[in-house]
Amino acid sequence: MHIGIIGTGYVGLVTGACFAEFGLFVTCTDKDEEKIRSLKKGVIPFYEPGLDELIRRNIKQGRLNFTTQIKKAVESSLVLFIAVGTPRRGDGSANLKYVEEVAREIAENINDYKLIVTKSTVPVGTGEKLREIISKNLKEQIDFDIVSNPEFLREGAAIEDFMRPNRVVIGAKSQQAIAIMKDLYKPLYLIETPFVITNIETAELIKYASNSFLATKISFINEIANLCERVGADVHMVAKGMGLDQRIGPKFLHPGPGYGGSCLPKDTNALFKIAEDHDVYLGIIDAVIKTNEKQREVMIKKIKDAIGVLKGKTITILGLSFKPNTDDIREAPSVYIIQRLLKEKAHIRAYDPVSMGEAYKILPGIKYCKNAYDAAKGADAIVIMTEWNQFRNLDLDRIKRQLKGPYFFDLRNIYEPQKVKEKGFKYFCVGRT
Ligand code: NAD
């Protein structure tokens, strides 16, 4: 079977590469010429463990190709996945301009029956909207189906998540569409992955509800962490005690500087707006969003309360990406915190194993360093922002020698407080006194 992926960003590229690995013939298209030129040479535009190897192998075996011409992808494919971005608008809603642009382009180039699948995270009702846009722009009467197939992969573990997902969600109206989708995902069917087959609106909502629930767990444990600091409790033990209850589960109960990334902030805001547009007030989601914004300020306060005036102080930031194993800094807490520190006239020395190139695009005025020790040189304080494995076992004596001041802010709780204090640091973490 031939399929086309429209929008070869993070999700589109992983989807295309993984379907090619399943044995399908995949044409990935993007309007970014530079991106497509690099991909044709096997150069991946972002960091994702294992993806370069997967792409090179499938290019070599002739199952994966790249083009800027959407016409080629539309004409050669039975199934078209829309995987373009749905960024946040000023009012919190998802901006559908790229998705709608693609729908018009599909309609202009359609030559035969197509199954048009939204992989992008889109508000409830988008499937119907796409049906209208495509029908209105068709040059001749050609049959097509719309499917919602939201993506749940995690950056940093994207291939594993695509190849072994917890579930595949398919929202469709027609039996033919469902049958084609099942055929596409046959390798997952064979390993007994649960399939949730439903209508388009429900599938669209499952994605937002899932991400918002994950965000809720994070904001919840962050609030509990802040309380722990006041009452002398240890948030890790609270999370453990809670998480052992199977109705709660241990995942996403790790306190920190708040959630970030390209999905949770955008999707919580979009869900809130979707509901508002339908005259429904989502009080929990409202609180989750506000708690997350507040949590970043709680971190700033933690730093200021310890160091005092920030003006003229040098602060080392270890980790810039919103989580480890990715170079994605979209809505990363590090970006917000660095901007706030800069506003208070602090100097920043930063190090991240892979995301300094991305960070430089939006934070050109900070000093990027060779490694963690270089970043610590002459600084008043060190702040661990991202829990990369290489920061878990730093040579603390060496860090201490490099630093000018004694402050160690472990915003991901990756160190044993006692161990760090014994080295002569003033140690601060989240939710552990
Ligand atoms: P991205 O910004 O990395 O990629 C989007 C790509 O679409 C870009 O390369 C852009 O050039 C391309 N594009 C835009 N308009 C186009 C057009 N008209 N024709 C062809 N290409 C076009 O975005 P992403 O992170 O891959 O996210 C895509 C969607 O998937 C979003 O809706 C997002 O919410 C959702 N999603 C993302 C993740 C994630 O972890 N990144 C996970 C699940 C779902």
Side-chain angles (χ1 to χ4, degrees):
M1 196 193 300
H2 282 76
I3 66 167
I5 311 284
I6 306 167
T8 310
Y10 197 90
V11 166
L13 189 55
V14 172
T15 303
C18 291
F19 273 130
E21 187 71 5
F22 286 172
L24 303 175
F25 291 89
V26 182
T27 302
C28 288
T29 167
D30 202 288
K31 62 180 185 182
D32 183 337
E33 290 180 11
E34 182 55 42
K35 195 177 264 185
I36 294 297
R37 210 173 305 127
S38 308
L39 283 167
K40 279 183 173 167
K41 291 187 219 143
V43 179
I44 317 304
F46 52 82
Y47 176 81
E48 178 61 38
L51 188 60
D52 45 0
E53 196 190 318
L54 197 67
I55 287 177
R56 278 185 218 122
R57 183 167 63 241
N58 282 285
I59 293 178
K60 205 164 155 196
Q61 293 176 355
R63 288 194 300 268
L64 184 61
N65 62 76
F66 299 96
T67 177
T68 51
Q69 293 169 38
I70 191 170
K71 185 178 169 66
K72 273 195 189 163
V74 174
E75 287 180 352
S76 62
S77 308
L78 169 65
V79 184
L80 292 163
F81 283 90
I82 303 177
V84 295
T86 47
R88 189 179 348 166
R89 280 211 205 98
D91 66 353
S93 63
N95 188 340
L96 289 178
K97 85 173 180 194
Y98 303 111
V99 173
E100 291 174 6
E101 187 179 287
V102 169
R104 283 189 291 275
E105 285 172 331
I106 291 174
E108 282 160 21
N109 292 290
I110 203 165
N111 58 334
D112 208 348
Y113 170 81
K114 305 288 171 195
L115 188 61
I116 298 154
V117 185
T118 48
K119 259 258 171 260
S120 300
T121 303
V122 291
V124 183
T126 304
E128 246 342 282
K129 202 170 186 181
L130 292 186
R131 190 187 303 282
E132 282 165 27
I133 295 174
I134 295 172
S135 303
K136 212 160 72 190
N137 288 278
L138 281 176
K139 289 182 189 143
E140 53 182 310
Q141 199 44 51
I142 294 178
D143 197 20
F144 67 92
D145 273 310
I146 301 280
V147 167
S148 166
N149 173 219
E151 183 51 61
F152 299 95
L153 58 79
R154 292 165 302 166
E155 295 186 4
I159 297 171
E160 174 68 12
D161 284 355
F162 194 95
M163 299 282 194
R164 294 179 184 279
N166 293 159
R167 76 301 209 186
V168 172
V169 173
I170 296 173
K173 254 186 187 168
S174 92
Q175 287 309 312
Q176 171 170 283
I178 294 167
I180 297 173
M181 290 302 288
K182 279 186 173 170
D183 203 27
L184 272 183
Y185 280 110
K186 200 153 58 193
L188 300 187
Y189 229 74
L190 297 177
I191 58 168
E192 295 186 5
T193 305
F195 276 62
V196 179
I197 298 183
T198 180
N199 63 28
I200 295 174
E201 290 74 11
T202 307
E204 290 168 339
L205 192 52
I206 287 172
K207 173 66 192 176
Y208 282 110
S210 301
N211 271 0
S212 297
F213 192 75
L214 294 175
T216 303
K217 286 187 92 174
I218 297 173
S219 277
F220 180 86
I221 203 66
N222 281 338
E223 283 207 319
I224 297 295
N226 298 341
L227 177 62
C228 283
E229 290 182 9
R230 293 295 174 95
V231 301
D234 177 337
V235 71
H236 284 281
M237 296 313 285
V238 174
K240 188 173 178 189
M242 287 171 63
L244 285 168
D245 185 329
Q246 288 177 7
R247 293 168 302 177
I248 298 172
K251 303 256 173 83
F252 277 68
L253 287 180
H254 197 88
Y259 57 77
S262 68
C263 292
L264 298 193
K266 165 174 89 66
D267 295 348
T268 42
N269 276 282
L271 180 60
F272 184 78
K273 191 69 178 52
I274 293 164
E276 201 178 59
D277 291 345
H278 290 81
D279 294 324
V280 177
Y281 170 65
L282 296 184
I284 291 176
I285 304 305
D286 194 9
V288 166
I289 295 167
K290 288 184 177 138
T291 301
N292 197 55
E293 286 164 1
K294 202 177 79 195
Q295 189 66 6
R296 299 181 302 196
E297 275 306 316
V298 170
M299 300 299 112
I300 295 286
K301 184 170 181 315
K302 201 183 273 293
I303 296 171
K304 278 172 78 168
D305 284 351
I307 304 185
V309 178
L310 292 174
K311 189 173 176 191
K313 300 269 166 55
T314 300
I315 298 176
T316 296
I317 302 285
L318 295 187
L320 296 165
S321 52
F322 79 97
K323 65 174 181 177
N325 295 324
T326 177
D327 61 354
D328 200 339
I329 56 155
R330 290 180 279 186
E331 304 218 28
S334 66
V335 174
Y336 177 86
I337 286 174
I338 290 173
Q339 283 168 339
R340 279 285 280 105
L341 295 173
L342 288 174
K343 213 167 158 188
E344 307 240 359
K345 306 258 185 298
H347 306 293
I348 305 293
R349 294 175 66 80
Y351 171 70
D352 185 285
V354 298
S355 67
M356 292 196 287
E358 283 303 305
Y360 180 75
K361 294 178 193 165
I362 47 170
L363 293 168
I366 65 173
K367 173 83 181 144
Y368 292 94
C369 302
K370 283 199 300 283
N371 54 44
Y373 305 100
D374 180 30
K377 224 179 260 172
D380 296 282
I382 190 163
V383 181
I384 296 185
M385 281 298 321
T386 316
E387 66 276 33
W388 283 93
N389 274 341
Q390 60 175 262
F391 298 151
R392 289 177 186 272
N393 253 319
L394 292 169
D395 178 343
L396 293 179
D397 293 318
R398 198 172 155 199
I399 291 284
K400 188 79 182 51
R401 283 197 302 274
Q402 296 286 68
L403 283 176
K404 197 165 77 191
Y407 302 103
F408 192 116
F409 297 94
D410 177 7
L411 303 189
R412 299 291 181 173
N413 291 0
I414 58 177
Y415 280 92
E416 270 305 313
Q418 201 48 36
K419 201 179 144 196
V420 187
K421 284 179 195 164
E422 278 166 11
K423 300 284 180 189
F425 289 99
K426 288 196 164 144
Y427 179 80
F428 303 86
C429 51
V430 186
R432 299 181 296 175
T433 39

